[in-house]
């Protein structure tokens, strides 16, 4: 046991000390945060400029009905359309809204002229104002009085709640979906990245021929497990540094720029959220509050469990590949079948996220080879405890079996050089007396 | 007293037998030459002794005790195909290998310093292995093999890749280790190093041991009863069963003659017989070299 620790320590220290590891670990979250920050910054800059929309209302129905906001100013002019069009530059380049003398029953011919394509949010606001006003006029003509109208006017925002044993919690569909997607992709990426590192490490030892010296001191299985555990620790370190840095950078960014609430509105506006829900957004929680509704600690803990479980499963398979081949170049043929379940998981992820409790989702989150990616995709939507427990148990059983198989093939493989290896050889090695 | 005894070792792989009923006895403080052509089974035998492989049948006793995990610390093994972690520093690498053998950190550090100084490599301690020449890397491997002061040191072709100067340095180190009490198994097919180093040998061919014993005894056993004589003036006929095998004329009326004598013969009698006829300049028994014994035994079998 003590000797496994020595191997773990070597694997860990030599990797963590590498310049490439330090750069990647520190730069990734900064890069990511920088990117998001830049986007938000650009969005705020964009927002600061107030757009002036010139309105020519031949119908006379919409006088002062358009509400000026921080970013939109409506300017009413009593000009004819042709003059206004030719003077568009002087009036303001942002837009010229022309409302002809329309028939209330069939409002046609309302036009918005502008030099560039109008912003989606602008168009939305104009359309919804027009619709609302025409509806009002129609209702008044049908004899509905102002008071009734006020009673009728209803604003609805569906608050999504997730029902858990610990009580109701506000949830947010977009945030849930995003978390699911990101954590699935991340675990896929981690399993791949660190699995391949195990394989490369085994190939290095075999190729360098240091392996024979080492296994005259420790058992091959100890060497393999030490390597797998050491690299797992590297992976966890990287993950934790990313999480901590992301939190630090985001909160630092948010407090410095002071756009916590702004950012939320900008994000939802640029996502094309419709005007009325925009107004509601003021009263309902912002993006940051919505993010708080995802149980991040729970997602992170399950992420670590599935990362470790899935990693042990795949790493031992990758170790077999490393022990079977003589060089990196030969590893392709054996790597392919290992990566298939991972690739299938990623392909199936779309279905799973659309139907996180469906048959595909359930079964793929039980099979150990696919469960890490798929279960991580299901977890933010809520998974019954028994399913989680079953899936984790199967995953643990899975990696115990693969590690055992891997150990038997590995001990023969690392000492075998120069022979052509195929699946039959691997089977033979598995059954070979040691 | 034997340090290591292998009894009736058998080992087969999927398609061939690597060792058939091989027994060996390796005396304490000897340098034991394990000889044999490529593919004879030497490496398999060594891997069984180092617990890398398990014999199908037979036992290995170390100090009279059946081989177990505790023996790892008393064995040092330098494989034929060997290497080091290229991206690791010399000092760290030696420390890692020593700790895997069970040394404490402080003992290991002390000994590493001592050995690096001894082999004139102290200033390389913080360099990466890949920055070292091949010869220096092999010295590091040698140090790694002996750092934990093993009772049994197994060296598989230790001199391959060394220049003559380094060969001498390592040879001296091996002798010193033996004199300090270590037992050395020396596997090779280069006979000149066997000649100068080994005191016991075993010859393995085609998975079987075909010869073993003290080098001196084996040579005695394979002596051909031939003498080589350099003399001035020709030798005529000889009686007493002496047989002139060949005569070669050298310059100035000097000759070189090979004479076969009967078994259990006293060389003084041969000298006397020749002295009457010719002036003797050189007189020596032709003792077979290990190389000749090796070739004759191996080709005899095939």
């Amino acid at each position: 046991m003590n000797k496994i620790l020595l191997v773990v320590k070597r694997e860990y220290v030599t990797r963590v000390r590498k310049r490439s590891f330090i750069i990647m670990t520190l730069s990734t979250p900064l890069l990511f945060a920088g990117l998001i920050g830049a986007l938000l910054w650009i969005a705020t800059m964009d927002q600061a400029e107030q757009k002036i929309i010139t309105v020519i209302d031949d119908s006379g129905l919409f006088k002062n009905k358009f509400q000026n906001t921080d970013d939109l100013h409506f300017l009413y002019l009593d000009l004819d359309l042709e003059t206004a069009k030719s003077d568009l530059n002087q009036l303001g380049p942002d837009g010229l809204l022309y409302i002809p003398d329309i028939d209330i029953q069939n409002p046609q011919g309302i036009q918005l002229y502008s030099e560039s394509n109008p912003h989606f949010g602008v168009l939305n606001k104009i359309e919804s104002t027009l619709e609302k006003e025409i509806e009002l006029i129609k209702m008044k003509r049908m004899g509905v009085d102002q008071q009734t109208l006020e009673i009728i006017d209803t604003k609805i925002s569906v608050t999504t709640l997730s029902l858990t044993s610990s009580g109701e919690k506000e949830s947010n569909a977009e945030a849930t979906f995003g978390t699911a997607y990101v954590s699935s992709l991340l675990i896929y990426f981690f399993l791949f990245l660190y699995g391949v590192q195990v394989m490369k490490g085994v190939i290095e030892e075999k190729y360098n021929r240091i392996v024979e010296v080492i296994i005259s001191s420790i058992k091959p299985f100890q060497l393999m497990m030490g390597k797998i555990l050491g690299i797992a620790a590297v992976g966890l370190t990287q993950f934790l540094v990313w999480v901590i840095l992301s939190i630090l950078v985001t909160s630092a960014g948010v407090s410095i720029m002071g756009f916590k609430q702004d950012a939320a509105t900008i994000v939802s506006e640029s996502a094309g959220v419709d005007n009325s829900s925009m107004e509601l957004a003021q009263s309902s929680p912002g993006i940051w509050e919505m993010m708080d509704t995802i149980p991040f600690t729970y997602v992170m803990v399950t992420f670590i469990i599935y990362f470790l479980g899935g990693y042990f499963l795949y790493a031992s398979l990758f170790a077999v590949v490393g022990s079977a081949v003589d060089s990196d170049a030969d590893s392709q043929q054996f790597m392919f079948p290992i990566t298939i379940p991972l690739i299938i998981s990623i392909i199936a992820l779309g279905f799973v996220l659309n139907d996180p409790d469906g048959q595909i989702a359930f079964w793929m989150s039980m099979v150990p080879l696919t469960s890490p990616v798929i279960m991580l995709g299901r977890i933010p939507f809520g998974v019954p405890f028994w399913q989680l427990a079953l899936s984790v148990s199967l995953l643990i059983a899975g990696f115990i079996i693969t590690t055992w198989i891997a150990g038997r093939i590995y001990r023969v493989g690392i000492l075998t050089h120069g022979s052509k290896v195929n699946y039959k050889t691997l089977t033979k090695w598995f059954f070979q007396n040691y | 007293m034997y340090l290591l005894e292998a009894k009736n070792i058998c080992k087969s792989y999927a398609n061939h037998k690597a060792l058939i009923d091989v027994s060996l006895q390796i005396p304490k403080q000897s340098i034991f030459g394990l000889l044999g052509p490529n593919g004879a089974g030497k490496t398999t035998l060594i891997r069984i002794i180092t617990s890398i492989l398990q014999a199908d049948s037979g036992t290995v006793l170390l100090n009279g005790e059946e081989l177990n995990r505790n023996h790892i610390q008393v064995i040092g093994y330098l494989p034929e195909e060997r290497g080091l972690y290229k991206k690791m520093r010399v000092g760290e690498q030696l420390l890692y290998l020593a700790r895997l053998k069970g040394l404490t950190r402080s003992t290991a550090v002390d000994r590493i310093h001592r050995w690096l100084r001894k082999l004139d490599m102290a200033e390389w301690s913080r360099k990466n292995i890949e920055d070292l020449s091949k010869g220096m890397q092999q010295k590091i491997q040698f140090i790694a093999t002996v750092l934990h002061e093993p009772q049994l040191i197994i060296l598989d072709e230790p001199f391959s890749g060394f220049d003559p100067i380094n060969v001498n340095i390592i040879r001296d180190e091996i002798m010193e280790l033996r004199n300090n009490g270590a037992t050395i198994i020396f596997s090779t097919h280069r006979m000149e190093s066997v000649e100068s180093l080994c005191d016991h040998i075993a010859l393995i061919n085609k998975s079987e041991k075909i010869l073993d014993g003290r080098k001196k005894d084996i040579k005695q056993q394979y002596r051909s009863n031939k003498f080589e004589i350099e003399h001035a003036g020709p030798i005529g006929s000889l009686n007493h069963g002496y047989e002139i095998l060949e005569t070669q004329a050298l310059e100035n009326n000097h000759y070189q003659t090979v004479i076969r004598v009967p078994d259990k013969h006293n060389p003084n009698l041969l000298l006397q017989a020749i002295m009457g006829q010719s002036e003797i300049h050189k007189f020596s028994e032709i003792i077979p070299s290990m190389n000749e014994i090796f070739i004759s035994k191996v080709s005899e079998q095939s």
Side-chain angles (χ1 to χ4, degrees):
Chain A
M1 202 56 220
N2 195 18
K3 287 183 177 175
I4 290 190
L5 284 181
L6 285 170
V7 181
V8 170
K9 200 178 133 203
R10 194 203 83 85
E11 297 292 339
Y12 183 79
V13 170
T14 52
R15 282 187 169 74
V16 168
R17 216 170 41 183
K18 269 193 202 155
R19 204 170 295 143
S20 57
F21 175 84
I22 296 173
I23 292 172
M24 191 178 163
T25 307
L26 294 183
S27 65
T28 307
L30 292 176
L31 245 149
F32 209 66
L35 198 72
I36 292 175
L39 283 176
L40 290 177
W41 186 66
I42 291 168
T44 8
M45 292 305 287
D46 193 30
Q47 210 55 29
E49 208 181 309
Q50 198 185 38
K51 287 195 162 66
I52 301 167
I53 307 286
T54 313
V55 183
I56 298 175
D57 181 12
D58 284 358
S59 70
L61 293 170
F62 302 101
K63 193 88 185 151
N64 294 329
K65 295 296 183 196
F66 289 101
Q67 309 240 313
N68 292 336
T69 61
D70 283 350
D71 43 297
L72 271 181
H73 183 79
F74 293 94
L75 184 68
Y76 293 89
L77 281 183
D78 208 4
L79 284 173
D80 70 287
L81 180 62
E82 293 311 313
T83 333
K85 273 206 285 195
S86 58
D87 288 347
L88 190 59
N89 276 336
Q90 284 149 31
L91 295 174
D94 296 324
L96 169 65
L97 178 65
Y98 173 66
I99 306 165
D101 195 0
I102 47 165
D103 171 12
I104 286 296
Q105 294 310 320
N106 186 19
Q108 293 288 336
I110 301 174
Q111 286 162 315
L112 180 68
Y113 299 90
S114 69
E115 285 192 331
S116 56
N117 283 330
H119 194 277
F120 191 72
V122 174
L123 198 60
N124 241 319
K125 185 166 171 87
I126 293 173
E127 281 178 352
S128 64
T129 311
L130 288 170
E131 278 167 14
K132 213 167 116 192
E133 287 309 318
I134 293 175
E135 274 169 27
L136 269 175
I137 295 167
K138 280 183 187 168
M139 288 202 217
K140 275 186 184 153
R141 286 191 185 171
M142 288 155 84
V144 183
D145 62 18
Q146 188 68 35
Q147 208 183 348
T148 323
L149 273 176
E150 269 161 30
I151 296 167
I152 288 171
D153 190 20
T154 323
K155 282 176 181 170
I156 295 270
S157 160
V158 176
T159 311
T160 43
L161 298 163
S162 54
L163 204 58
T164 61
S165 51
S166 57
E168 291 176 6
K169 266 183 273 174
E170 265 188 71
S171 70
N172 178 277
E174 282 82 17
T176 308
F177 193 88
T179 313
Y181 199 70
V182 168
S183 47
S184 284
L185 276 183
L186 202 61
I187 206 162
Y188 167 80
F189 169 71
F190 265 64
L191 290 182
F192 228 112
L193 186 75
Y194 288 101
V196 168
Q197 284 216 30
V198 170
M199 184 184 78
K200 282 191 187 298
V202 173
I203 292 176
E204 186 202 3
E205 280 167 357
K206 186 180 171 181
Y207 181 76
N208 277 348
R209 316 268 179 155
I210 193 171
V211 69
E212 196 167 348
V213 175
I214 293 176
I215 60 169
S216 70
S217 303
I218 56 174
K219 287 182 187 153
F221 188 75
Q222 289 177 304
L223 175 60
M224 187 181 91
M225 279 321 288
K227 181 175 288 293
I228 289 176
L229 290 171
I231 295 177
V234 176
L236 283 182
T237 307
Q238 190 160 54
F239 176 69
L240 290 179
V241 171
W242 282 1
V243 167
I244 291 165
L245 272 186
S246 303
I247 292 171
L248 283 180
V249 168
T250 348
S251 50
V254 164
S255 58
I256 290 169
M257 313 281 275
F259 53 33
K260 190 166 171 157
Q261 194 57 44
D262 279 359
T265 32
I266 290 155
V267 167
S268 48
E269 183 177 304
S270 56
V273 182
D274 137 308
N275 220 9
S276 52
S277 68
M278 267 294 293
E279 285 157 24
L280 290 166
Q282 311 305 321
S283 55
S284 71
I287 271 273
W288 302 99
E289 283 77 13
M290 288 179 200
M291 293 302 264
D292 290 344
T293 65
I294 305 288
F296 272 108
T297 329
Y298 174 63
V299 170
M300 257 181 61
V301 169
T302 44
F303 183 92
I304 290 173
I305 292 172
Y306 275 94
F307 164 64
L308 287 178
Y311 165 81
F312 287 136
L313 186 82
Y314 278 99
S316 54
L317 296 176
F318 275 110
V320 168
V321 175
S323 72
V325 299
D326 282 347
S327 68
D328 273 358
D330 301 336
S331 60
Q332 292 303 326
Q333 56 155 333
F334 292 114
M335 256 180 75
F336 184 61
I338 295 181
T339 53
I340 283 178
L342 278 177
I343 293 168
I344 289 177
S345 310
I346 280 297
I347 295 171
L349 187 62
F351 298 103
V352 172
L353 294 187
N354 281 326
D355 185 10
D357 293 315
Q359 289 285 311
I360 296 179
F362 174 76
W363 287 108
M364 287 188 79
S365 61
M366 290 301 139
V367 175
L369 285 167
T370 53
S371 67
V373 173
I374 298 299
M375 194 52 116
L376 258 289
R378 290 183 61 195
I379 275 171
F381 296 98
V383 174
F385 180 75
W386 70 268
Q387 288 190 15
L388 197 63
L390 181 60
S391 162
V392 169
S393 317
L394 287 172
L395 186 61
I396 292 171
F399 80 66
I400 290 174
I401 292 170
T402 51
T403 314
W404 177 69
I405 295 173
R408 288 188 65 93
I409 300 177
Y410 173 87
R411 68 199 174 144
V412 183
I414 44 170
L415 290 174
T416 310
H417 288 275
S419 61
K420 193 99 184 85
V421 176
N422 51 34
Y423 293 103
K424 214 176 125 197
T425 334
L426 293 185
T427 323
K428 206 184 285 170
W429 288 353
F430 174 75
F431 289 108
Q432 187 166 314
N433 280 332
Y434 176 49
Chain B
M1 179 64 195
Y2 298 115
L3 179 81
L4 185 118
E5 279 180 277
K7 289 181 180 165
N8 313 100
I9 303 288
C10 292
K11 173 80 186 171
S12 12
Y13 295 123
N15 29 25
H16 79 287
K17 290 184 170 172
L19 291 173
I20 304 165
D21 200 27
V22 172
S23 298
L24 284 181
Q25 291 169 323
I26 298 177
K28 242 182 192 139
Q29 254 191 305
S30 64
I31 298 183
F32 189 96
L34 187 60
L35 318 178
N38 293 323
K42 298 184 304 256
T43 304
T44 302
L45 181 60
I46 290 173
R47 284 179 178 172
I48 288 170
I49 295 172
T50 51
S51 300
I52 291 174
L53 294 177
Q54 221 116 62
D56 296 341
S57 65
T59 49
V60 179
L61 303 180
L62 196 82
N63 282 325
E65 212 183 303
E66 199 156 332
L67 212 56
N68 57 53
R69 291 310 285 182
N70 295 332
H71 287 134
I72 279 168
Q73 290 165 43
V74 301
I75 299 178
Y77 173 37
L78 181 71
E80 179 179 7
E81 301 278 4
R82 51 196 176 242
L84 297 161
Y85 290 112
K86 292 205 166 16
K87 301 265 181 214
M88 225 174 154
R89 288 182 188 151
V90 170
E92 286 177 347
Q93 181 127 230
L94 286 172
L95 181 61
Y96 175 60
L97 294 172
R99 302 238 21 221
L100 283 183
K101 282 288 185 189
L103 287 193
T104 63
R105 191 186 172 83
S106 56
T107 323
V109 168
D110 278 355
R111 290 191 194 164
I112 289 166
H113 282 311
R114 211 174 63 217
W115 271 102
L116 286 176
R117 267 202 308 276
K118 197 170 182 198
L119 294 184
D120 240 355
M121 295 188 67
E123 71 273 27
W124 294 92
S125 172
R126 296 184 64 79
K127 288 269 193 298
N128 274 348
I129 291 288
E130 59 186 352
D131 301 330
L132 268 59
S133 72
K134 190 163 182 250
M136 285 197 279
Q137 290 188 27
Q138 289 201 283
K139 281 191 190 171
I140 300 297
Q141 284 156 357
F142 180 79
I143 295 175
T145 310
V146 299
L147 261 182
H148 56 294
E149 299 183 350
Q151 294 176 36
L152 177 64
I153 301 169
I154 303 174
L155 307 171
D156 198 349
E157 296 292 0
F159 299 127
S160 68
F162 272 130
D163 60 42
I165 295 165
N166 280 323
V167 167
N168 280 338
I169 293 173
I170 297 301
R171 186 197 308 270
D172 292 347
E173 293 301 334
I174 293 172
M175 297 298 265
E176 195 181 322
L177 286 166
R178 197 269 306 264
N179 295 340
N180 291 339
T183 306
I184 290 145
I185 298 181
F186 180 39
S187 165
T188 187
H189 43 245
R190 286 161 44 134
M191 292 304 143
E192 67 276 13
S193 34
V194 177
E195 210 77 64
S196 63
L197 271 174
C198 299
D199 32 39
H200 285 71
I201 64 146
L203 180 56
I204 294 179
N205 188 35
K206 291 186 175 168
S207 320
E208 286 177 275
K209 183 186 77 180
I210 54 175
L211 182 69
D212 74 335
R214 290 159 65 93
K215 186 177 73 182
K216 226 166 65 187
D217 296 345
I218 287 172
K219 288 199 156 197
Q220 198 67 26
Q221 187 187 334
Y222 282 83
R223 64 198 289 188
S224 52
N225 293 337
K226 287 180 199 163
F227 285 82
E228 188 179 80
I229 302 142
E230 245 180 74
H231 50 96
I235 302 171
S237 60
L238 292 167
N239 37 15
H240 302 300
Y242 299 133
E243 186 188 346
I244 298 178
L245 292 176
E246 56 171 293
T247 301
Q248 204 185 339
L250 307 172
E251 60 230 30
N252 298 335
N253 201 26
H254 278 55
Y255 297 87
Q256 188 180 28
T257 304
V258 177
I259 295 169
R260 173 139 62 207
V261 299
D263 276 349
K264 291 177 188 159
H265 171 270
N266 183 344
N268 282 0
L269 294 175
L270 176 62
L271 267 176
Q272 271 174 3
I274 302 170
M275 258 192 290
Q277 299 184 25
S278 184
E279 181 186 300
I280 296 167
H281 284 253
K282 199 173 154 188
F283 180 86
S284 63
E285 182 172 5
I286 301 178
I287 294 170
S289 67
M290 281 317 297
N291 203 26
E292 285 163 318
I293 297 173
F294 181 93
I295 290 169
S296 80
K297 280 303 281 185
V298 168
S299 49
E300 189 181 293
Q301 228 199 1
S302 61

